[in-house]
Amino acid sequence: MSQFSDQAPQRPPNPRHTAVVGLQWGDEGKGKLVDRLAGTPGVFDAVVRYNGGANAGHSVVVEGVRYALHLVPSGILAPGSLAVIGNGVVVDPERLIEEIDGLSARGVDTSSLVLSSRAHVVMPYHKAEDGLREELLQASPVDASSPSKNVIAAIGTTRRGIGPAYADKVQRATAIRVGDMLRPELLRSKLDMICGLKNSVFRALHPDEPEVFDAGAIAERMGELGRRLRPMIKDTAYLLNGLDQEGKTILFEGANATMLDVDHGTFPYVTSSNASSLGIGPGTGVPPQKIGRVIGVVKAYSTRVGGGPMPTELHDATADRIRERGREFGTTTGRPRRVGWIDLVALRYAAIVSGATELGLTLLDVLAGFDELRLCTAYATPEGRTERFLPDGFELAEAEPIYETMPGFCEEITGVRSFDDLPGPACRYVERIESFVGVPVRTIGVGPDREQTIERDATVAAGGLA
Ligand code: IMP
């Protein structure tokens, strides 16, 4: 084994460009953090999405109004900055237009939205394929929350067509990019070939009631949507690198999260993109060395939607209380989220691969009222105890969490605005997270509103070693 240290790297700060990325399984509260950072005019010239699609859901509360964003970057709510959908995103144009119209109807100016011509399009057959694959997998008698070795259960996808759209991107010949929506003849001839192929796959998978896709009708609809989107379609790689050369600042907004990253998450129970900060380069064309500040967003506990292993999952009254206090129901699908104690082993790995230079801890207020708090600091596996995250979802499903227990706090903290005013046990809890992960916690969320945030000038704290 190499001399690699499990201590998360402390990179020298180069604050020009910033990334905000979830370090768990999504829904960490990235939207609020992005909105807080970008909400001050002039701080960021562009807010950029680089991965995922309408599977993501960001709730942002501004002046008491809740906005649920799926494809549009949270930066749309920030006056004076561009909101860019980068080439790494898979775009469902119907949903994008719905979202734009919804925002406009609520008085939000959407003229700053820019869409990459290189982004791939989620087509109607992708959504059908996503649903059908899930149904076929669901028919297998496997419990996705604890899959046994060598048997794949349903992924529990959002059924937004994300996986099939990324699969076609990698297949190349069967992909449609946003730029293709502007070339009717090319689009039609591609769709003739693609629909022929897809229809035969649907016939084979579902011979009784195969879905049939009509190339002509789809080409016409996509052409219409393309005409509507045309003014915002640009070469965003040049746009973003141009901003960089002019000395402007960019905020990269992650969607989904590091534990759902197709390479580094709990594979195969992941999404289909590089949802850690590693996706920024390929998903925007901006090279990674331009980003000096990476804010890893982490809930004070764990949640997950969909299938796949989650070592600290709880199925008791503690889970119910956390779910209720944290309003843990999906923004995109409304599904109740699976809930558990914080998993520091997974978190430290996520902080390492995402290059987190600081942590944004969210939802600490949800943990008020417990006598004790538990933190997973190692796994018991059939091969023995380990403090390392496991690279395989099936292996992880067999790991048992080993906990450290700390005293809880009973006071409500939603009104607290300074670290020193937090109850002592809450401070110790935060400090334990940063000492284990080796990255300072710079902000602490104590409620959903932009203002319910504690800013902290922390330096770290020795990181633990595996
Ligand atoms: P897909 O991205 O729809 O293919 O879903 C793959 C897995 O990622 C499923 O377990 C989803 O529930 C999960 N997932 C995708 N996006 C998010 C998100 O933004 N938050 C939480 N879970 C997500």
Side-chain angles (χ1 to χ4, degrees), residues 31 86 131 189 194 220 258 290 295 341 425 428 449:
S189 76
I194 295 169
E220 195 169 316
T258 305
K290 305 268 182 184
I295 305 174
W341 295 118
R428 302 295 89 73
D449 213 80

Side-chain angles (χ1 to χ4, degrees), residues 188-225:
R188 177 61 203 259
S189 76
K190 273 190 161 188
L191 280 168
D192 279 337
M193 175 272 292
I194 295 169
C195 287
L197 219 146
K198 297 283 177 191
N199 287 340
S200 49
V201 171
F202 279 105
R203 259 195 308 277
L205 287 177
H206 213 281
D208 302 338
E209 288 173 61
E211 276 212 69
V212 179
F213 291 93
D214 181 299
I218 297 177
E220 195 169 316
R221 180 68 185 144
M222 287 296 151
E224 261 171 51
L225 298 171

Side-chain angles (χ1 to χ4, degrees), residues 139-164:
S140 76
V142 180
D143 173 4
S145 64
S146 77
S148 55
K149 272 208 161 109
N150 309 323
V151 194
I152 176 98
I155 304 289
T157 73
T158 58
R159 302 193 180 207
R160 297 287 193 267
I162 306 299

Side-chain angles (χ1 to χ4, degrees), residues 105-122:
R106 295 171 85 182
V108 177
D109 176 13
T110 57
S111 61
S112 62
L113 192 60
V114 183
L115 170 61
S116 169
S117 59
R118 290 187 177 90
H120 283 247
V121 182
V122 177

Side-chain angles (χ1 to χ4, degrees), residues 25-27 55-57 155-158 162 256 260 270-271 305-307 335:
W25 285 279
D27 313 307
N55 54 350
I155 304 289
T157 73
T158 58
I162 306 299
N256 327 123
L260 292 171
V270 292
T271 190
V305 273
R335 291 180 286 182

